[in-house]
Amino acid sequence: MATTNKYDRQLRLWGQNGQKSLSESCIILIGCSAAGTESLKNLVLPGIGSFHVIDDQIVESRTNNASGSSNHNRFSNFFVFPDHDSMTDNGENPPLTSRAEIASKHLSELNPDVKGSFTDVPSLANADYASIFKSVTSSSSADHHLLVIAADLPPCILKSISTVCWNYQKPIPLVIVRSYGLLGTVRIQTPLHTVIESKPDNSNPDLRLFTFQSSSPSSFDTLINFVNSIQLKTLESHEHGHIPYLIILCKAIEKWYNGDDNNTKRTELPKTFEEKKDFTNLIKSMSRNYNHELNFQEAVEKAFLAYSKKEIPYEILELLNNVCEDSIMSSFDLLLLTLKRFMKVNHDFPPLVGTIPDMTSSTNYYMQLQEIYKTKAKNDEMQMKEIMNGIQNELSTKSNQSNATAVSDEELSIFCKNVYNLHLTKTRSYTSEYDFFYASNEQKEEIQGDLMADTYDPYEVPVQTPMLWFIALRAADAFCDEYGHYPGKDSRKLALESDAKIVQGYIEMIVEKMGLLDNELIKSTLLSTDDDLKNAFASEITRYYNAEVHNIASVVGGIASQEAVKLITRQYEPMNGTYVYNGIAGVAGVYQF
Amino acid sequence: RTSEAMVMVSDGSEHCTKNGTTIASYQSRGSLATILSRSSPFSNETGALPIGEHCPSAETDILSHFKVLVVGAGGLGCEILKNLAMSNIPNVDVIDLDQIDVTNLNRQFLFRQNDVGSSKAEVAAKFINERCPWMKVTPHHGKIQDKDTNFYKSFNCIISGLDNIEARRWLNSTVCNLVDLDEDGDPDPETIIPIVDGGTEGFSGQARVILPRITSCFECNLDLFPPQKSFPLCTVAETPRLPEHCIAYAFTIQFPTEFPDRKLDTDSPVDMKWVYLKALDRSKKYDIPGVTYMLTMGVVKNIIPAVASTNAIVSAACVNESVKLLTFCSQTLNTYMMYTGSSGVNSHTWVSEKKDDCPVCSAAVRKMQVSPNMTLNELLQSLRDGDLRLKSPSVTGTDVLYMQKPPSLEKATKPNLNKALKDLIQNGEQLTITDPMFPGTSLGLSIFFEI
């Protein structure tokens, strides 16, 4: 054992900042189903600050159940089971019976860093969630950030939780998780979630090589001077083979514009396929022995960096356009306005990121280049800070709100390093989605597109397209809304067939309201009249009777907790839409409604 | 009641359903047993990978007839054991050679601080057997390679939650070789033991089903797991640029020079501090920032980030497939589900292709064209470096050419290593290659000389 930090393996993903955010969060779980406790388990383990469990169920004690050894058939929840530890003959410690209390107890055992508590309610259907949330925040020691997970609840309860979270003084992110037989879903609700450290898997470096373009509006003098100080021709061969590709590309751009005996003068960077090929050949011609100079091979491989500009994501540019002094509500808004003004005085360029990728190079050249980028980034950051201070002064003279939107130097620095990775998610509320029957034409088209895309993919089995199963689940909800229980309650053949017929009716109704009656995939699956598929989706949904299958609960619980981690740490891009796991064929998809 | 308990009382005035039924009835729901007892239009035989017919049965202990092996009691293994218990599959064996480390505790939820240093398999089995009295989990603290074929033959399904490629390849080869083939080369279904394999890295993971000789096997798609990249030696020795280069110098060059008689113990704080300080010295010399103890650990041990959520997703997907493979109650994953969660959630299921000349699950003889002057040693090296990624191959032609074991045979055949192939074999001669990576089987390789 060479380290003593039990969080080591996750710190390598989200760092100390992410861990701090986790430790300052409070997760409220509503509904102690298996999907609910599994979600919470995956959050207690990595070290959230605290959790609070709300439930209305009673757990039958093992002694009351005389059916013997086979009763474990009904267990599908690892953290909720009759409490045999506290059972005593003299009755001094009566066995726990509240599901919330039992779940809270067993989840707390997972990590001594996490404080667990619970609320028993007579019924989740008419609990006063706003006041429970309020009492949770007031009783928790630190100012914990709330996040709510709602597990395996019917639409009517979800709607009221959705509304409370959406309208809370500071909206509470909500994760809705559900397992239903071999199907499961996860959905996120957050009016606005912004991410600075989205940590994309691969992203091109911000090198500003176009500073060597004759018409470049913005110049990077220190880089230009450094590149000019190097004369490739005068270098001895070992050094020539250890000039970083970044410098080679700069030299190539210069040559591209100036021309020489073998190359015509150009006025614009390569655009067409032919021009790009010419540019590549130009790089090769600069090498002394292309097969042996790794750095020139890298330059050819990375030639695109010379003529492509790194862009800020479209939705962030939109935000920048909309932000103004009157709408500074959060530190993120303040940072956006600062960025907007910075770009205005810097020819639309954001602050330099300041890091360069590894490349074949001598240590010396590489360190010098690294220093040039780092220094420029530092200068840009200082200019950002000045602009930000200016805005803050303006704000405080306008209104007397002082420091409501403070940004630390560290935050500013992280922001500058991530300007290209900024991300924002706005979801619909669950309540409004539940009325997606009245989807706009645009949404209908999107859904049509999603559905047909699956039939073009040779790997997909169209019948197993997760969205079809999502529609079938909606039909089960409609059934529950009407009858107060899910279809398939009565195991007798005729009863199952009769429930399935009703579900099929709901499927047809939903398909019609979604405007999908003419969709070829829908016609050949959900609405099929062929013998082998007629009512098949409705029958399968009825077969399940909302069965709690632990494995399905654990899959969606895993997704739910992962999304919760992303929402809490404000790192990584959360999903926007509904994740549907089809455990029949092992296929999953994410759909936005 | 604990002091933190809060009891909320509501007025009960709301009604959720249209016809006034109480809402509590939504809570009543089926279970896995419900699904097993009812027929389905999507049962196993209707799927893309049919292996059996679902017979709805109300028998409650249907899953107790099966025996399942869990390979690995780590991040995936702990979850898999819990999932099996919650699926009412009582007869389970679990095998793992590792001891519990403090860095396991953020996800391996059957272990506590007090268990650090104990056998993973034993602690995990004990926890499950105590929490779930119907479970009979048998632990094996040891290497998978130490179990014989009769051990692996005794299971109906093998679920693997391994963290390295080498063990996966060994297990895959072993289980693929348990399949009996008839005269036409068709597999005897009775001898096919499904492997359900899971793996994770950070927010990404995969679950796949291997039906030996029917679907692709692990070896067929080995290229999905490229070998670990190491830093070029000249960069590490001469032109370091990154903190990682300094660390690599400290543990691959400085440590063996300083301690020629022993290997670096990556679990020893003393050794790791030594490497860290040497790397730090070197980074100062070159003015390279960023060498930390945490990074040193990461580079030396090739640490892959791991979180509870990804392990939960992958393990549950694996056990879901296992339950379906055993009961035929639904279709089978065909064959590979990939999952990435670092930007949004992306999932993709696809059929991984069988490789025609797979060294494990096909009988194909490979052909190779080489220079007649190539030495036997060079040939062996190319088998290690090439797509076969062998570990320590032995070769037999008409005669024994080179054997790694036993030592006497190794000594006798060693002189062949430096001989040219043209002096050892005929043009077109078929060689038989054996390798510890492919237990119980051999690989045919015909050598043709370039003219």
Side-chain angles (χ1 to χ4, degrees):
Chain A
M1 180 173 65
T3 180
T4 52
N5 190 336
K6 69 176 172 185
Y7 298 130
D8 180 86
R9 297 301 185 264
Q10 65 200 40
L11 287 170
R12 290 169 193 275
L13 285 174
W14 53 67
Q16 293 292 352
N17 282 338
Q19 192 62 39
K20 183 164 179 281
S21 305
L22 268 182
S23 71
E24 289 168 356
S25 67
C26 173
I27 311 294
I28 297 175
L29 171 65
I30 308 173
C32 289
S33 64
T37 55
E38 288 297 309
S39 306
L40 198 45
K41 175 201 75 193
N42 303 328
L43 292 164
V44 171
L45 286 165
I48 49 170
S50 58
F51 69 81
H52 188 84
V53 171
I54 306 171
D55 197 55
D56 60 359
Q57 295 290 296
I58 297 296
V59 179
E60 253 178 89
S61 90
R62 212 167 272 182
T63 41
N64 292 343
N65 192 315
S67 58
S69 67
S70 67
N71 69 356
H72 55 256
N73 254 314
R74 298 173 306 122
F75 293 139
S76 46
N77 193 331
F78 196 69
F79 300 96
V80 175
F81 51 90
D83 192 68
H84 48 92
D85 297 338
S86 59
M87 256 190 282
T88 54
D89 289 333
N90 57 22
E92 263 178 43
N93 275 325
L96 303 176
T97 54
S98 141
R99 193 164 79 158
E101 186 172 4
I102 292 173
S104 166
K105 180 181 170 227
H106 291 295
L107 286 162
S108 296
E109 287 163 4
L110 294 172
N111 189 343
D113 301 350
V114 182
K115 249 177 88 107
S117 58
F118 66 93
T119 303
D120 251 331
V121 292
S123 160
L124 287 175
N126 35 36
D128 179 357
Y129 292 106
S131 35
I132 300 179
F133 296 169
K134 210 155 270 159
S135 65
V136 168
T137 19
S138 63
S139 72
S140 78
S141 49
D143 181 21
H144 282 179
H145 296 290
L146 293 185
L147 181 140
V148 173
I149 298 176
D152 287 308
L153 299 174
C156 55
I157 301 181
L158 280 178
K159 278 195 201 177
S160 78
I161 294 171
S162 152
T163 308
V164 172
C165 289
W166 191 267
N167 297 324
Y168 208 67
Q169 60 223 32
K170 188 182 163 214
I172 306 172
L174 169 67
V175 180
I176 298 166
V177 59
R178 159 189 221 186
S179 81
Y180 190 107
L182 295 176
L183 307 168
T185 61
V186 183
R187 197 222 192 250
I188 280 168
Q189 169 183 307
T190 170
L192 176 66
H193 178 76
T194 53
V195 182
I196 295 175
E197 292 176 85
S198 65
K199 307 195 174 177
D201 287 335
N202 42 27
S203 126
N204 289 326
D206 179 21
L207 298 180
R208 309 273 166 110
L209 299 185
F210 44 80
T211 191
F212 284 85
Q213 216 173 317
S214 49
S215 59
S216 172
S218 153
S219 63
F220 187 170
D221 295 337
T222 42
L223 180 65
I224 293 176
N225 294 341
F226 180 62
V227 172
N228 287 342
S229 74
I230 298 165
Q231 301 300 322
L232 291 183
K233 280 197 178 117
T234 64
L235 299 177
E236 46 113 352
S237 65
H238 184 264
E239 232 185 328
H240 197 264
H242 286 82
I243 285 286
Y245 75 69
L246 205 156
I247 294 171
I248 298 172
L249 289 179
C250 295
K251 295 280 187 197
I253 297 172
E254 279 185 327
K255 255 205 164 82
W256 181 259
Y257 282 114
N258 298 335
D260 60 19
D261 301 346
N262 302 318
N263 300 289
T264 50
K265 267 188 170 192
R266 313 274 187 149
T267 51
E268 269 182 274
L269 282 175
K271 276 201 186 106
T272 64
F273 178 75
E274 279 304 312
E275 286 168 345
K276 288 174 185 174
K277 218 169 108 189
D278 289 347
F279 187 71
T280 309
N281 286 331
L282 173 69
I283 299 172
K284 285 185 185 168
S285 75
M286 291 160 63
S287 170
R288 287 183 195 165
N289 185 344
Y290 184 71
N291 287 330
H292 284 96
E293 292 188 314
L294 272 180
N295 52 340
F296 281 87
Q297 291 169 23
E298 281 175 12
V300 165
E301 199 186 312
K302 304 282 178 187
F304 68 94
L305 292 173
Y307 44 77
S308 52
K309 188 181 150 199
K310 197 167 163 62
E311 303 282 357
I312 290 192
Y314 171 75
E315 70 258 42
I316 297 296
L317 287 178
E318 285 266 278
L319 268 192
L320 287 178
N321 284 334
N322 295 329
V323 74
C324 66
E325 294 93 288
D326 305 327
S327 64
I328 305 299
M329 305 294 283
S330 64
S331 56
F332 191 76
D333 291 337
L334 176 61
L335 287 164
L336 282 183
L337 182 60
T338 310
L339 177 60
K340 185 182 181 178
R341 294 203 184 165
F342 180 95
M343 290 174 68
K344 209 171 170 186
V345 294
N346 283 287
H347 307 280
D348 279 342
F349 289 107
L352 183 74
V353 172
T355 49
I356 56 172
D358 187 34
M359 56 192 82
T360 294
S361 165
S362 64
T363 305
N364 186 22
Y365 282 125
Y366 187 80
M367 300 318 288
Q368 288 190 61
L369 268 182
Q370 210 175 37
E371 192 57 35
I372 287 165
Y373 277 86
K374 221 162 90 184
T375 309
K376 160 108 172 115
K378 264 254 125 57
N379 291 340
D380 284 0
E381 199 182 306
M382 272 157 63
Q383 196 186 352
M384 282 283 284
K385 195 175 155 88
E386 276 166 33
I387 294 171
M388 194 170 75
N389 289 341
I391 296 172
Q392 278 173 322
N393 287 338
E394 283 170 39
L395 286 177
S396 58
T397 39
K398 252 188 224 164
S399 64
N400 286 324
Q401 46 163 290
S402 61
N403 272 352
T405 49
V407 173
S408 72
D409 286 356
E410 195 197 348
E411 281 171 278
L412 178 67
S413 175
I414 292 174
F415 181 85
C416 290
K417 287 190 177 76
N418 285 283
V419 275
Y420 295 99
N421 309 330
L422 301 177
H423 184 86
L424 92 160
T425 305
K426 282 181 187 174
T427 73
R428 281 173 88 188
S429 78
Y430 172 84
T431 311
S432 112
E433 185 201 300
Y434 201 71
D435 303 328
F436 83 87
F437 297 101
Y438 311 105
S440 67
N441 282 335
E442 205 177 295
Q443 269 168 327
K444 279 178 191 164
E445 251 170 57
E446 233 177 77
I447 294 170
Q448 290 260 19
D450 273 356
L451 273 175
M452 293 321 284
D454 282 330
T455 63
Y456 301 138
D457 186 334
Y459 285 124
E460 301 288 346
V461 183
V463 180
Q464 296 300 345
T465 303
M467 196 199 286
L468 299 174
W469 289 102
F470 181 76
I471 294 170
L473 281 175
R474 293 292 306 246
D477 284 337
F479 186 105
C480 183
D481 278 346
E482 184 67 30
Y483 299 94
H485 63 86
Y486 283 99
K489 191 174 185 178
D490 186 336
S491 284
R492 285 171 294 182
K493 194 165 178 276
L494 281 177
L496 290 175
E497 281 172 8
S498 147
D499 276 6
K501 274 216 181 83
I502 299 170
V503 173
Q504 183 64 27
Y506 283 120
I507 288 179
E508 281 161 23
M509 190 183 86
I510 291 163
V511 164
E512 190 187 346
K513 289 191 170 170
M514 287 173 79
L516 293 172
L517 275 176
D518 294 330
N519 181 285
E520 288 303 321
L521 178 61
I522 297 271
K523 275 202 269 187
S524 65
T525 54
L526 285 172
L527 306 182
S528 172
T529 49
D530 290 356
D531 282 347
D532 53 337
L533 272 185
K534 194 176 175 206
N535 289 357
F537 288 78
S539 302
E540 187 72 359
I541 284 287
T542 306
R543 174 197 188 198
Y544 296 155
Y545 180 40
N546 191 22
E548 179 167 80
V549 176
H550 182 85
N551 297 320
I552 306 298
S554 191
V555 168
V556 287
I559 302 276
S561 55
Q562 173 185 275
E563 292 308 305
V565 164
K566 293 196 224 165
L567 291 168
I568 297 163
T569 58
R570 294 196 168 267
Q571 294 181 19
Y572 302 98
E573 182 187 329
M575 85 174 164
N576 186 356
T578 302
Y579 169 88
V580 183
Y581 179 66
N582 164 359
I584 300 163
V587 191
V590 177
Y591 305 100
Q592 213 173 322
F593 299 106
Chain B
R1 288 291 143 91
T2 66
S3 60
E4 282 140 19
M6 282 176 270
V7 179
M8 309 300 298
V9 181
S10 68
D11 61 8
S13 62
E14 279 174 72
H15 278 285
C16 264
T17 58
K18 290 175 192 164
N19 58 3
T21 9
T22 59
I23 191 61
S25 56
Y26 82 87
Q27 292 272 14
S28 120
R29 58 193 296 194
S31 65
L32 180 59
T34 316
I35 292 180
L36 296 181
S37 70
R38 294 177 177 183
S39 64
S40 163
F42 297 99
S43 53
N44 191 273
E45 63 272 24
T46 67
L49 210 57
I51 57 160
E53 199 179 322
H54 173 53
C55 304
S57 161
E59 191 197 336
T60 48
D61 282 339
I62 182 164
L63 286 154
S64 63
H65 307 311
F66 303 113
K67 203 174 154 198
V68 172
L69 174 65
V70 178
V71 184
L76 293 167
C78 284
E79 286 280 341
I80 291 167
L81 288 171
K82 173 210 69 182
N83 296 340
L84 289 169
M86 293 294 109
S87 304
N88 195 16
I89 300 180
N91 298 312
V92 176
D93 283 35
V94 59
I95 180 165
D96 195 310
L97 59 85
D98 268 350
Q99 275 114 27
I100 297 160
D101 183 87
V102 71
T103 57
N104 302 146
L105 301 180
N106 76 328
R107 61 196 188 282
Q108 302 178 14
F109 69 102
L110 302 177
F111 310 144
R112 303 285 178 266
Q113 188 74 41
N114 284 343
D115 300 320
V116 169
S118 306
S119 150
K120 283 189 178 181
E122 282 160 17
V123 175
K126 186 162 174 268
F127 192 111
I128 292 287
N129 289 339
E130 279 174 10
R131 169 74 62 95
C132 310
W134 61 90
M135 290 299 288
K136 299 187 249 332
V137 182
T138 309
H140 303 269
H141 181 191
K143 289 172 77 168
I144 55 169
Q145 289 87 346
D146 292 344
K147 297 285 176 188
D148 61 14
T149 48
N150 284 330
F151 175 76
Y152 292 101
K153 255 185 203 161
S154 68
F155 298 100
N156 303 95
C157 180
I158 296 175
I159 310 176
S160 112
L162 287 162
D163 62 357
N164 70 86
I165 306 302
E166 199 175 305
R168 278 204 179 96
R169 293 178 73 184
W170 187 92
L171 181 72
N172 175 66
S173 180
T174 302
V175 179
C176 285
N177 281 309
L178 295 178
V179 179
D180 288 338
L181 302 177
D182 65 16
E183 292 133 28
D184 303 327
D186 293 325
D188 171 3
E190 293 293 312
T191 59
I192 295 174
I193 301 171
I195 308 174
V196 185
D197 178 68
T200 74
E201 177 170 350
F203 287 129
S204 303
Q206 84 277 338
R208 73 185 292 183
V209 170
I210 297 171
L211 300 175
R213 305 271 172 178
I214 296 179
T215 68
S216 64
C217 76
F218 189 81
E219 203 68 31
C220 290
N221 317 113
L222 187 63
D223 51 358
L224 291 172
F225 302 87
Q228 195 200 326
K229 269 194 186 152
S230 55
F231 301 108
L233 189 67
C234 57
T235 297
V236 170
E238 289 161 28
T239 57
R241 299 174 296 271
L242 303 180
E244 287 86 347
H245 298 153
C246 303
I247 296 163
Y249 186 78
F251 88 95
T252 58
I253 297 174
Q254 286 177 291
F255 192 91
T257 317
E258 184 96 4
F259 308 101
D261 303 331
R262 64 183 192 92
K263 272 177 102 176
L264 176 73
D265 177 5
T266 57
D267 288 329
S268 149
V270 179
D271 278 12
M272 292 310 294
K273 272 259 150 61
W274 190 94
V275 171
Y276 163 62
L277 291 174
K278 288 288 172 195
L280 194 63
D281 277 351
R282 189 167 170 83
S283 74
K284 279 180 182 153
K285 186 176 154 197
Y286 286 94
D287 220 6
I288 297 169
V291 171
T292 61
Y293 187 64
M294 191 169 169
L295 185 69
T296 306
M297 293 283 292
V299 172
V300 176
K301 298 183 77 168
N302 185 32
I303 291 174
I304 292 160
V307 283
S309 54
T310 316
N311 279 301
I313 296 161
V314 168
S315 305
C318 287
V319 181
N320 181 46
E321 293 309 321
S322 308
V323 169
K324 293 187 294 173
L325 284 164
L326 293 172
T327 63
F328 314 131
C329 73
S330 198
Q331 301 180 358
T332 302
L333 164 65
N334 185 24
T335 54
Y336 204 111
M337 184 175 90
M338 267 160 70
Y339 160 83
T340 48
S342 56
S343 67
V345 172
N346 293 291
S347 182
H348 186 48
T349 299
W350 50 287
V351 186
S352 57
E353 300 283 341
K354 233 178 140 152
K355 202 166 161 183
D356 288 338
D357 60 352
C358 174
V360 167
C361 73
S362 83
V365 174
R366 289 182 167 230
K367 292 191 176 101
M368 196 171 171
Q369 211 169 38
V370 299
S371 152
N373 296 319
M374 184 187 230
T375 64
L376 181 58
N377 201 24
E378 284 165 344
L379 176 71
L380 296 187
Q381 191 59 44
S382 78
L383 293 175
R384 282 191 286 260
D385 297 343
D387 67 326
L388 284 173
R389 283 150 69 178
L390 299 187
K391 204 180 167 199
S392 51
S394 298
V395 198
T396 311
T398 324
D399 301 312
V400 174
L401 294 174
Y402 179 71
M403 296 302 272
Q404 305 269 0
K405 270 190 265 191
S408 58
L409 202 49
E410 201 276 337
K411 206 177 161 195
T413 53
K414 201 172 181 178
N416 284 341
L417 286 178
N418 291 324
K419 288 185 187 158
L421 290 175
K422 66 171 193 266
D423 299 329
L424 291 169
I425 56 171
Q426 303 289 316
N427 187 13
E429 188 169 331
Q430 187 180 325
L431 305 182
T432 304
I433 316 280
T434 52
D435 192 274
M437 213 57 107
F438 304 141
T441 188
S442 62
L443 161 71
L445 179 70
S446 294
I447 300 286
F448 294 92
F449 293 140
E450 287 160 359
I451 313 155

